[in-house]
Amino acid sequence: MIQTKSPLPESIDTLPKALLHIANRQPNRIALRRKDFGIWHDIHWSEYLEEVKQVALGLYALGVKRGDHVSIIGENKPEWLYSALGVMSTGATFVGVYTTNPPAECEYVVGHSKSAVYICEDEEQFDKALVFRSRTPDLKKLIVWDMEGLKHFDDPMLMSFDDLLALGKKTGEDHPKLFDELVSGGKGEDIGGIIYTSGTTGPPKGAMLSHEGYLWVGKQASFITRTTINDETISFLPLNHVYEQVFDMMVHLTVGHIVNFTENTDTVTTDMQDVSPTLFHAVPRIWEKYYSSIVLKMADATWFKRTCYEISLKIGSQYNTMKLSGKTPSPALQLAYWTAYFVVFRKLKKRLGFDRVRLGFSGAAPISHNILKFFQSIGIPIREGYGMTETTGITHMSDEFNFKLGTVGK
């Protein structure tokens, strides 16, 4: 077992306590960024905490209590984290649901988890609940972030997210110490989240993940990746998947780096160019798409550009083969590589939005060795990791320097 010194005090044993600690330590630092209609908006840690507090107290006022379950279904947005942290602050457990799930699959997760509240993004996800709510008797409230199309829909179970926040704000004014009391009552062994994952047989199983597990993985992952508060990541993989939660919740609430939310799944490429994160995590299919786009662009390039690229790639491959084998490249090869990097790779990385990426990650499925070699050659080291939902994500990963191709690390 890797032993590290946690950046969090030992007394902090739940994610809401970690949020409180970071927000009080650096209230005016940027915690999150969201993009709406092409414009990026900063969200500071003090604002982040206030949103979570209002969600928690609003849910408490609705009757959500310790041990209850609340389902969350929506794309990657700050509201997803506000909802999850708000749920956990009350002592309840959040249950993530895929936005692509049809009503029957949503019904299974909501019904099996006995969720008392269903927090969703918009009318599309709300409509799914209308299909099954008569068959999920534990469900008492349907809360919607974006009320577009539902403003004139009258239903006793429907509540807007804004109204939930208003209820939470009023509850906080009436009971100033309530939020701190709720958070302080949490314990490390409490179940923070449940992720439904398909097993080898039968319907999906709910993996119950504790706060101490979330924080342990956050601590170890931040140590291996050397993540600091000055790092930035970009959020676009499904947030109810444990892989995205590693960076958006576990490491984020351990270190306090910036999480940037893409506008939608179609804008990831342009959002990458805007943000240029320092850490980038993706599944093999995403890395393969980036590789293919480079190959196609170079095939259409002029003879001169294509020749420079091909020569630089050979130099990069030789240089990084020696580096990864623990050998020191000759002065001539080092000079050739830095020339290739300055002339070709630096511009290529900037065009992709990778100019600040110091480390990339690939997980959730095996990745081709050729893809790893290619990105390593152009100056983007990718480290392949392995983990399971049941283990709260990563169990094996290499750091930037100790890496052996074809393995998933220690």
Side-chain angles (χ1 to χ4, degrees):
M1 182 184 294
I2 300 169
Q3 296 294 330
T4 69
K5 183 179 179 180
S6 173
L8 294 172
E10 289 296 321
S11 59
I12 293 176
D13 55 359
T14 69
L15 291 175
K17 290 178 186 177
L19 172 63
L20 265 172
H21 173 76
I22 295 176
N24 290 331
R25 189 183 65 194
Q26 51 184 46
N28 299 319
R29 280 187 69 93
I30 297 170
L32 312 168
R33 287 198 192 96
R34 70 182 305 155
K35 190 180 183 184
D36 293 317
F37 305 107
I39 300 173
W40 289 95
H41 303 276
D42 296 340
I43 299 168
H44 298 89
W45 281 96
S46 58
E47 299 171 82
Y48 185 6
L49 175 60
E50 186 59 29
E51 294 283 332
V52 169
K53 179 179 179 179
Q54 290 178 9
V55 170
L57 295 178
L59 290 172
Y60 180 85
L62 290 175
V64 174
K65 58 187 183 302
R66 188 168 302 280
D68 282 349
H69 297 149
V70 175
S71 289
I72 304 172
I73 179 168
E75 299 294 347
N76 296 29
K77 295 180 182 295
E79 287 83 357
W80 207 105
L81 291 184
Y82 300 157
S83 299
L85 268 297
V87 169
M88 288 186 282
S89 296
T90 67
T93 300
F94 76 88
V95 183
V97 186
Y98 282 103
T99 56
T100 53
N101 279 7
E105 292 179 14
C106 292
E107 177 184 348
Y108 174 78
V109 173
V110 172
H112 187 268
S113 64
K114 297 184 178 180
S115 291
V117 178
Y118 176 91
I119 302 177
C120 63
E121 180 175 3
D122 52 21
E123 183 181 7
E124 179 187 357
Q125 304 302 342
F126 173 77
D127 286 345
K128 294 177 183 179
L130 294 183
V131 174
F132 62 75
R133 63 175 175 176
S134 62
R135 298 187 292 273
T136 51
D138 295 290
L139 193 58
K140 301 293 187 273
K141 211 71 181 173
L142 309 174
I143 299 172
V144 184
W145 302 338
D146 182 359
M147 289 291 287
E148 186 69 33
L150 293 170
K151 291 177 181 177
H152 303 294
F153 186 82
D154 187 21
D155 189 290
M157 288 183 71
L158 173 63
M159 184 180 201
S160 73
F161 193 73
D162 286 341
D163 285 345
L164 175 71
L165 296 179
L167 177 60
K169 184 176 182 180
K170 184 180 184 306
T171 304
E173 290 170 351
D174 294 340
H175 307 280
K177 297 181 180 180
L178 179 58
F179 179 72
D180 289 339
E181 290 171 358
L182 290 173
V183 171
S184 64
K187 298 178 181 178
E189 62 264 29
D190 292 344
I191 303 302
I194 297 178
I195 299 179
Y196 278 78
T197 179
S198 56
T200 52
T201 59
K205 313 297 192 299
M208 301 185 292
L209 309 182
S210 69
H211 285 276
E212 60 187 354
Y214 276 130
L215 289 172
W216 191 88
V217 171
K219 179 178 71 172
Q220 305 301 343
S222 61
F223 173 74
I224 295 296
T225 60
R226 300 171 189 245
T227 304
T228 70
I229 59 171
N230 296 316
D231 277 310
E232 295 194 37
T233 59
I234 193 161
S235 175
F236 69 98
L237 299 176
L239 241 173
N240 58 298
H241 193 286
V242 74
Y243 187 19
E244 188 64 53
Q245 288 181 17
V246 168
F247 293 92
D248 293 7
M249 287 174 55
M250 304 178 217
V251 173
H252 179 56
L253 292 173
T254 301
V255 176
H257 72 280
I258 299 172
V259 175
N260 297 275
F261 288 93
T262 57
E263 188 161 11
N264 56 63
T265 52
D266 297 324
T267 64
V268 175
T269 303
T270 54
D271 294 343
M272 276 291 294
Q273 294 169 350
D274 289 347
V275 173
S276 186
T278 57
L279 301 172
F280 181 68
H281 57 283
V283 294
R285 181 174 56 83
I286 301 296
W287 290 111
E288 289 160 6
K289 285 179 70 174
Y290 273 109
Y291 170 74
S292 297
S293 68
I294 294 170
V295 171
L296 290 172
K297 285 178 182 176
M298 294 317 303
D300 294 334
T302 63
W303 174 86
F304 179 73
K305 286 185 177 179
R306 190 166 60 250
T307 301
C308 288
Y309 167 77
E310 290 171 352
I311 293 172
S312 297
L313 199 58
K314 289 178 181 177
I315 293 170
S317 179
Q318 292 176 18
Y319 175 84
N320 281 290
T321 296
M322 293 198 71
K323 290 283 285 184
L324 291 174
S325 63
K327 300 176 183 177
T328 303
S330 66
L333 182 56
Q334 290 187 50
L335 178 61
Y337 177 74
W338 287 112
T339 301
Y341 185 88
F342 182 79
V343 174
V344 176
F345 300 151
R346 180 175 59 92
K347 295 177 181 178
L348 179 60
K349 288 171 64 177
K350 187 173 182 63
R351 184 169 295 180
L352 295 172
F354 280 38
D355 46 314
R356 290 205 304 156
V357 172
R358 62 176 178 82
L359 197 57
F361 309 97
S362 181
I367 188 170
S368 164
H369 292 182
N370 291 332
I371 300 293
L372 294 176
K373 288 178 180 177
F374 171 80
F375 281 102
Q376 184 81 30
S377 296
I378 68 172
I380 304 173
I382 300 175
R383 296 298 173 256
E384 189 175 11
Y386 173 80
M388 296 185 292
T389 305
E390 294 85 347
T391 58
T392 323
I394 305 169
T395 58
H396 298 71
M397 192 168 73
S398 298
D399 63 26
E400 184 177 351
F401 306 102
N402 302 295
F403 172 65
K404 183 179 179 182
L405 196 66
T407 73
V408 291
K410 295 180 181 179

